[in-house]
């Protein structure tokens, strides 16, 4: 399947492996869309945790999902070990994009983009990006494997 509409970064800043579990399988016998979205969430949380950040915003600015785009290229099945490569693009004053490539062996299972807003959950509004956000994310070891 072609992925013309979703360009991935030239280099990824974070890598993690995630196994497909029984609960991730849909009626077609492969990774379901809902589970794929949860897999992206898990990978993003691992990267944030490795950088000492969290989506809830314990430092004042959390993250909230504004958009999601997913392109599928191959099936994934129970017990498959998927490699998730991630990068940050489109960094703006109140939002950024996470880009994902999820693969198994030599095949690309999916690629995705999440547009995330920096969000103050107590005030229920978008806020400015923390000054050290990108620095903290990119300081994480590029060959991380936070399983």
């Amino acid at each position: 399947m072609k992925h013309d509409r979703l360009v991935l970064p030239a280099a990824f800043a974070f890598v993690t492996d995630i196994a497909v579990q029984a609960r991730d399988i849909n009626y077609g016998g492969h990774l379901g869309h809902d589970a794929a979205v949860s897999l992206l969430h898990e990978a993003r949380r691992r990267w944030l945790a490795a950088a000492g950040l969290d989506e809830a915003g314990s430092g004042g600015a959390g993250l909230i999902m504004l958009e999601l785009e997913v392109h599928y290229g191959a099936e994934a099945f129970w017990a498959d070990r998927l490699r998730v490569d991630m990068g940050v693009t489109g960094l703006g004053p109140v939002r950024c994009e996470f880009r994902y490539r999820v693969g198994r062996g030599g095949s690309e299972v999916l690629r995705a983009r999440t547009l995330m807003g920096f969000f103050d959950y107590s005030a229920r509004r978008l806020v400015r990006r923390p000054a050290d956000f990108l620095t903290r994310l990119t300081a994480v070891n590029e060959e991380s494997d936070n399983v």
Side-chain angles (χ1 to χ4, degrees):
M1 181 177 288
K2 291 176 78 175
H3 298 288
D4 305 12
R5 297 177 291 160
L6 183 56
V7 177
L8 296 174
F12 292 96
F14 185 76
V15 176
T16 190
D17 289 339
I18 300 177
V20 177
Q21 299 182 28
R23 68 172 179 247
D24 300 332
I25 302 304
N26 66 11
Y27 60 89
H30 55 237
L31 179 69
H33 176 72
D34 57 334
V37 173
S38 292
L39 183 142
L40 300 174
H41 187 198
E42 175 66 24
R44 188 176 59 250
R45 291 213 43 187
R46 288 180 185 188
W47 190 8
L48 292 169
L53 300 166
D54 67 57
E55 288 186 333
S58 61
L63 290 171
I64 191 166
M65 189 175 299
L66 303 172
E67 293 178 8
L68 168 68
E69 180 179 358
V70 181
H71 297 258
Y72 296 96
E75 295 174 293
F77 303 98
W78 175 78
D80 280 351
R81 194 146 191 83
L82 304 178
R83 175 185 165 121
V84 183
D85 300 301
M86 296 179 60
V88 173
T89 64
L91 193 63
V94 297
R95 59 190 187 176
C96 69
E97 289 183 0
F98 286 85
R99 302 264 173 144
Y100 313 78
R101 179 178 58 206
V102 179
R104 179 193 67 253
S107 65
E108 185 175 286
V109 173
L110 65 90
R111 59 175 59 187
R113 173 187 70 87
T114 54
L115 177 64
M116 306 298 289
F118 297 98
F119 196 73
D120 180 333
Y121 279 91
S122 60
R124 312 309 295 175
R125 64 180 177 87
L126 290 173
V127 295
R128 294 196 66 79
R129 169 180 38 96
D132 65 347
F133 177 77
L134 189 59
T135 304
R136 290 176 74 172
L137 280 182
T138 56
V140 174
N141 183 340
E142 292 185 3
E143 292 303 316
S144 294
D145 186 43
N146 303 317
V147 179

